[in-house]
Amino acid sequence: MNLHHTDVRPLATAAAGAPPAAVKQRTLSAIEGVRQLPPRLPAPAPAKRTGRVLRRRAGRFVPVACLAAAAFLPGLAAWQYEQSEQSAQRARQAYERLDAVSGLLAAPDARAAHGRAANGALMTVVASGLRNEAFLTAADLPAPAPGKTYQLWLDIDGGMRPAGFINGDGTVPIHGGPATASAVGLTVEPAGGSSRPTTDPLLLMALPV
């Protein structure tokens, strides 16, 4: 309050004087009986307008978000299902291969042979003539070049016959009747394989049958 043109001395004198005791007591009693509430402040008008704008925008966004979720979630569920199915299939294949290798190793005539391929990979072949089965295990086998694959061959009566593929460390069956073959070979072929070898063999090892 601006008091530049008012004599403040009478006001100062009145303020300095103590109020009568009865008035003071009534005032304190009245204050104690009043419920204390925070001051009411009017909400600024821009906040209301901003709230309405945000609600309108949110109202437009919610259906779009629901549509996006409805389109995305089935695809995610299908992808997760596909991944789980692929993992389960790989696990089944691994168990089946383990069972087959265990059965081969239990054969009374099972024999093993070791060799090293031209690219430095260590190869182990386990074969059984009685079961007409053989498995090849590779270690330190480099990945084939893009568009290429490692193909296995069986030497049967002087001719090389396709016997499967291997593209990394691990164990794979040798197909094609190993009991009638004299050797197993390994070459690099175009992806998908060849009907006959197109490159010099990286490995040609006698079968232990």
Side-chain angles (χ1 to χ4, degrees):
M1 184 175 182
N2 195 342
L3 300 176
H4 288 301
H5 302 289
T6 304
D7 189 354
V8 299
R9 286 175 295 177
L11 294 175
T13 302
V23 174
K24 179 178 179 182
Q25 185 61 42
R26 285 197 301 270
T27 302
L28 292 175
S29 298
I31 291 175
E32 291 175 356
V34 175
R35 181 183 179 186
Q36 301 299 310
L37 296 174
R40 298 179 61 184
L41 299 177
K48 294 182 180 179
R49 291 196 297 272
T50 302
R52 287 196 296 271
V53 172
L54 290 176
R55 285 194 295 271
R56 286 198 300 270
R57 292 181 179 177
R60 292 194 298 268
F61 174 75
V62 168
V64 175
C66 291
L67 290 174
F72 173 73
L73 290 178
L76 176 61
W79 179 83
Q80 290 176 333
Y81 176 78
E82 182 180 354
Q83 293 297 310
S84 63
E85 282 295 300
Q86 291 177 353
S87 298
Q89 183 178 3
R90 287 194 294 268
R92 286 194 297 268
Q93 291 174 347
Y95 279 118
E96 290 172 358
R97 188 168 301 170
L98 179 60
D99 288 342
V101 172
S102 299
L104 176 62
L105 292 175
D109 67 332
R111 300 290 185 272
H114 307 282
R116 189 172 293 277
N119 58 8
L122 178 63
M123 303 290 183
T124 298
V125 174
V126 179
S128 166
L130 292 176
R131 295 175 61 97
N132 194 20
E133 293 178 356
F135 279 84
L136 180 139
T137 299
D140 300 326
L141 181 65
K148 299 293 183 180
T149 186
Y150 291 114
Q151 188 167 356
L152 298 172
W153 305 91
L154 285 177
D155 183 352
I156 300 177
D157 298 330
M160 303 301 289
R161 299 184 184 180
F165 303 93
I166 185 168
N167 286 308
D169 291 354
T171 300
V172 295
I174 300 175
H175 301 290
T180 61
S182 59
V184 60
L186 179 72
T187 62
V188 176
E189 301 295 334
S194 304
S195 59
R196 63 189 62 183
T198 62
T199 62
D200 293 336
L202 296 173
L203 175 76
L204 189 60
M205 183 170 60
L207 279 172
V209 292

